[in-house]
Amino acid sequence: MGPRIGPIGEELQVPDKDTKAMVGTEDTPGGKARPNPQDLRPSVFHSIKFFVLCHSLLQLAQLMISGYLKSSISTVEKRFGLSSQTSGLLAAFNEVGNTALIVFVSYFGSRVHRPRLIGYGAVLVTLAGVLMAVPHFISEPYHYDHTSPADMPQDFEASLCVPTTEAPASAPAPSNSSCSGYTEVQHLAVVGIMFTAQTLLGVGGVPIQPFGISYIDDFAHNSNSPLYLGILFAVTMMGPGMAYGLGSLMLRLYVDIDRMPEGGISLTSKDPRWVGAWWLGFLISAGTVALAATPYFFFPKEMPKEKRELRFRRKVLAVSDPPVSKGEAASSERSPGESPEKKDGLAQIAPDLTVIQFIKVFPRVMLRTLRHPIFLLVVLSQVCMSSMVAGMATFLPKFLERQFSVTASYANLLIGCLTIPLAIVGIVVGGILVKRLRLGPMHCGTLCLLGALFCLLLSTPLFFMGCSTHQIAGINHQPGAQPGLELFPGCTEPCSCPSDDFNPVCDSSARVEYLTPCHAGCRSRVVHEAPDKGQVFYTNCSCVVGGGPVPAGSCDSACSHLVLPFMILVSLGAALASVTHTPSFMLILRGVKKEDKTLAVGIQFMLLRVLAWMPSPVIHGSAIDTTCVYWAQSCGRRAVCHYYDHDLLRNRFIGLQFFFKTGSLACFALILAILRQQDKEEGTKATIPNPGLQQQLLASGAKKEPEESRV
C-alpha cells in the first residue's frame, strides 16, 4: 500500500486552473482557507496525500514507543526489582492520561488547529520516551553479583564456598543489611519517573489519532477518504510488530553498554541475571516520533477539499461495484455541509456548547447509548477480547522466557514476526469478508461467533504444552511459601553462603539448580574462553556428584522444543480473534442511531480503555505473582521473583486468557440471539396489514416528486 502514495501525489499535483486556484491558500484571521490569486505556488503541505503519509508514519512511531515497554517488561522487572503486578500497572498507566482527556476530543473538534495540536502531542510523546530512559542514567551501574566488592570483577570469588574459618573479616555484607535511606529514595524516584513518563505518553497520544482521522475525512474527496484511512490503519498496525522487533535487537545488548566494567562481563543472554539495553529502544523510538512530528507545524488549519477521485480507484470501482442510481450518486457526492439530514448528535452540537454544558450533556447521551442491548453486548465482547490481548501483549514474552527457557530477545522476535503479522492478516480478512460478502448484522454476528469459537478451541491445547519446574535446591515448590534454604544436609555446612545472593548454577546430570556456587559447595572457578564470550564453570563442588564441573546459569527447560508449536497456536488464535474486529465494529455502527454513531465509537474506545487496557495487565501480573516460589529481597521488601511454579504459571496465565475468550463467545452468542429475535419481530410486523401504510407511501411519493425533478 505504501508505494502507491508517491504516484498518487504526483498525479494530483498537475497544475490546472482549478488546482492552482485551490492550492494557493493561506490561513486568514477568520480561520478560513481562501484562494490567493497573487500567490499560486503549490505547497506539499496543502496536499491531503502528504498528510496521510505523515500521519501514517507518526502513528506507526507512536504505537512503536507505546508497545516497546511490553517487549522489555521482564527486563525492567529484573533491573529495578519490580513485581509483575507493579510492572503490569506501569504498562497500563499510559491509558490513565489518555482516558482522562479523550472525551474532550469530541468537544474541541475543529475549533483548534488540528495539525499543530497533533504536533504538540507528538512532542509530548517524545519527551515521555526520553523520560522513560532517564532511570538508566541516574541509577548505579547494574551489579548482577551483589556479593562482590566494587573494586573486584563481578561474579568472582565472593560467590564461592569459603570455609567459615577462612572467611575474611572484611567480607562484604549482604545487600539487605547494607541498605540506606538513599537507596530506597532512589528506587522510589526511578519508579516515579517511569510512571510519570507513562502518564505523559498517554496524554501526548490523545490528539494524534482522532484529530488526524477527522482532518483526513474533512479534506479528502468523499470517495477517497475510506482508501486513505485504510492506508493509515494498514501502516499503523505495523507499529506493535516493530516495537517487538526493536526490543529483540536492544535486549541482545548489555544494559550498561555505555559504561562497561573494566574486567568485562561473564554473562550470556541466556543467564537469568542478564539485563539487556532496554533504555536504548526508548531513545530510538522517541527520536523517530520527533522526526515524524516535524511536518505537522507546517500544515494549515484548513486546506482545500480534494476535488478529484483517484484514477485507479475509479477503475477498480467500475470493475467490482454494481452501477448505482443517480439518486445514490448524488448523495455520495454531496458534501457534509449539504446533507439535508438533521445533525442533532452530540458530535454535531458540541461546537455550540460550552465546556460545562458539554460535561452535563455527555453522561445523558452515554446512558442513552448504553441502553441499546446490541451496543452494550458488542462493547462487552470487545472488552473481553481486549483484556485477553492486553494481558498477552504485556506478559507473553515473560511467559515464554520462564516456561521454555528462551531469551527475552528470541521471545520478542517470535511475537513480532509471527503473532502480530497473523493478527494483522486476521483484521484484513475480516474486513474483506464484510465488504465482499456484503454481510448484514446477522451475518456479522455469525462471523464474530465463529471467530471467537475457533479461537477458544485453539487455546485449549495450550494448557498441556509445558513442563514442571526443575528441582531447585532448598526451595519448596509451593507458591506463597518463603522457606529457609533447606539445602542438602551436610554438603555446605563449612561454607558461609549469603542468603540473598543470586548466581545460579546447574547440575545438568541430576537436573538440580543451586542459587549460587556457594550453595552447591563449589570452591573454585574456571573460565573457558570462547571467540564471542567466555563460559564460566565451577569445580570442587561438594553437593554435586563427582564434584563438578557445573556451568553457570539456570537449567534449561525440558520442553523448550515446544515453544514454536505453542507460538503457532497462539498466533492462529490471535488471527481468528482479529477476524471479529471489523464485523463487531459494523454491528456498533449499524446498531445505534445515526446521530449517535460518532459518540458511540468514542464511548466504545473509552470503555475499552477503562475496562480492559487499564486493569487487564494488573490482573495478569497479579496472577503471575501468585505462582512465585522464591522472591528476591531488597532492603527488606519483596523485589523481583526468581523462580515460578511453571505448571501453576501456565494454568493461571492461559486460564485467564481462556476466561476472557469464553466471555467474548458468550456475548456474541447473545448478540446473535437478539438479532434473530428482532428479525422474527420484523417479519411478524411485515405480515400484518397496515391500513395507513399505503396512504403514507403515497404521500411520501408525492413529496419526493419535486425533489426528483430538481435532481
Side-chain angles (χ1 to χ4, degrees), residues 301-316:
K301 181 179 180 180
E302 296 179 359
M303 67 170 60
K305 190 172 180 67
E306 193 177 33
K307 299 186 68 176
R308 292 184 179 183
E309 186 179 4
L310 298 181
R311 183 180 301 170
F312 77 89
R313 176 180 166 80
R314 288 199 299 268
K315 292 179 180 179
V316 171

Side-chain angles (χ1 to χ4, degrees), residues 181-199:
Y182 173 76
T183 306
E184 279 300 284
V185 169
Q186 187 183 44
H187 174 78
L188 292 175
V190 163
V191 175
I193 287 173
M194 288 193 291
F195 273 94
T196 303
Q198 284 292 99
T199 305

Side-chain angles (χ1 to χ4, degrees), residues 463-474:
F463 285 102
F464 310 101
M465 299 179 70
C467 49
S468 302
T469 308
H470 51 268
Q471 187 176 2
I472 304 165

Side-chain angles (χ1 to χ4, degrees), residues 179-324:
C179 288
S180 62
Y182 173 76
T183 306
E184 279 300 284
V185 169
Q186 187 183 44
H187 174 78
L188 292 175
V190 163
V191 175
I193 287 173
M194 288 193 291
F195 273 94
T196 303
Q198 284 292 99
T199 305
L200 292 178
L201 190 62
V203 173
V206 167
I208 292 178
Q209 186 174 16
F211 284 160
I213 291 175
S214 64
Y215 194 83
I216 293 171
D217 194 53
D218 283 350
F219 302 116
H221 189 280
N222 293 343
S223 300
N224 297 339
S225 179
L227 175 65
Y228 292 154
L229 294 179
I231 294 173
L232 175 67
F233 292 138
V235 176
T236 300
M237 283 189 296
M238 295 188 292
M242 293 184 65
Y244 283 102
L246 182 63
S248 176
L249 292 175
M250 295 300 103
L251 297 183
R252 293 180 184 178
L253 306 174
Y254 185 62
V255 61
D256 288 325
I257 190 173
D258 57 329
R259 46 185 179 182
M260 292 285 283
E262 290 184 9
I265 58 171
S266 56
L267 288 181
T268 63
S269 59
K270 294 205 68 171
D271 194 295
R273 297 171 297 165
W274 173 270
V275 172
W278 60 274
W279 53 275
L280 195 55
F282 281 110
L283 294 181
I284 293 174
S285 301
T288 307
V289 174
L291 289 175
T294 305
Y296 285 87
F297 296 99
F298 301 97
F299 283 108
K301 181 179 180 180
E302 296 179 359
M303 67 170 60
K305 190 172 180 67
E306 193 177 33
K307 299 186 68 176
R308 292 184 179 183
E309 186 179 4
L310 298 181
R311 183 180 301 170
F312 77 89
R313 176 180 166 80
R314 288 199 299 268
K315 292 179 180 179
V316 171
L317 291 178
V319 174
S320 62
D321 287 354
V324 295

